[in-house]
């Protein structure tokens, strides 16, 4: 099973625990991969299934939507926006941000949202680890934009998630399998 980073970190541990209790004789192999690598693995038969982004880019992959998630601005409690409930994306024009690099689907989706809002973000740091980004946000005045799931399951109680509007960056997560497969 190929799984994207946020789903792997915040949802898969509980799912694996439940699945293993119900099916103790079934072996699982999970790989944390990028969205494009999951699609390639499913298409090529290296993965039985994937949990990745929707819509898929290949007509050789079938999918079922699992959920949609919004992206939020994440700050430390002392950040100037920490007490806000929501912000327009355009209000982040001069905000110092730490983001995933452009090789990530998440970042490309954000870039499209920035363009739609008519802003050029002020990206101070790029990191390829969500946990690394969140640890940096926790100890700095930098903010980030990540899926709400990144705050998940009380692993980061000190961080604040602020809803973004106009537009609200959002992505779909789904179960992927090879067309004609099961």
């Amino acid at each position: 099973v190929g799984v994207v980073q946020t789903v792997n970190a915040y949802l898969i541990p509980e799912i694996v625990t439940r699945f293993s209790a119900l099916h103790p004789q079934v072996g699982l192999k999970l790989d944390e991969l990028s969205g494009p690598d999951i699609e390639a693995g499913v298409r090529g038969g290296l993965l039985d299934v994937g949990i990745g982004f929707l819509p898929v880019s290949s007509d050789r992959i079938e999918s079922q939507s699992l959920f949609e998630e919004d992206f939020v601005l994440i700050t430390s409690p002392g950040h100037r926006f920490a007490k806000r409930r929501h912000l327009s994306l355009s209000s982040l024009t001069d905000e110092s941000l730490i983001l995933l690099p452009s090789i990530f689907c998440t970042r490309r989706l954000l870039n499209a949202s920035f363009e739609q809002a008519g802003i050029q973000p002020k990206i101070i740091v790029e990191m390829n680890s969500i946990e690394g980004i969140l640890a940096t946000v926790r100890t700095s005045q930098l903010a980030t934009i990540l899926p709400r799931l990144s705050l998940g399951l009380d692993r980061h109680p000190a961080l604040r998630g602020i809803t973004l509007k106009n537009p609200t960056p959002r992505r779909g997560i789904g179960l992927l399998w090879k067309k004609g497969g099961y």
Side-chain angles (χ1 to χ4, degrees), residues 33 36-48:
L33 300 168
D37 288 343
I38 291 170
E39 286 194 31
V42 168
R43 254 191 342 265
L46 297 172
L47 297 172
D48 294 319

Side-chain angles (χ1 to χ4, degrees), residues 71-85 87 134 137-138 142-148 150-151 156-163:
F71 287 65
V72 293
L73 181 73
I74 300 174
T75 70
S76 65
H79 191 276
R80 67 185 179 119
F81 290 140
K83 297 205 183 321
R84 300 285 301 267
R85 290 178 47 117
L87 287 167
L134 294 175
V137 167
R138 193 178 305 111
L142 296 174
T144 190
I145 302 172
L146 289 170
R148 187 177 300 278
S150 302
L151 290 170
H156 303 286
L159 296 176
R160 306 289 186 255
I162 299 123
T163 300

Side-chain angles (χ1 to χ4, degrees), residues 5 97-107 110 123-140 142-146:
Q5 190 176 161
L97 298 172
I98 177 171
L99 298 178
L100 289 165
S102 294
I103 61 167
F104 285 83
C105 297
T106 298
R107 173 62 181 280
L110 279 177
I123 302 162
I124 302 299
V125 178
E126 291 184 332
M127 295 176 80
N128 69 355
S129 161
I130 290 174
E131 284 300 314
I133 290 172
L134 294 175
T136 304
V137 167
R138 193 178 305 111
T139 61
S140 72
L142 296 174
T144 190
I145 302 172
L146 289 170

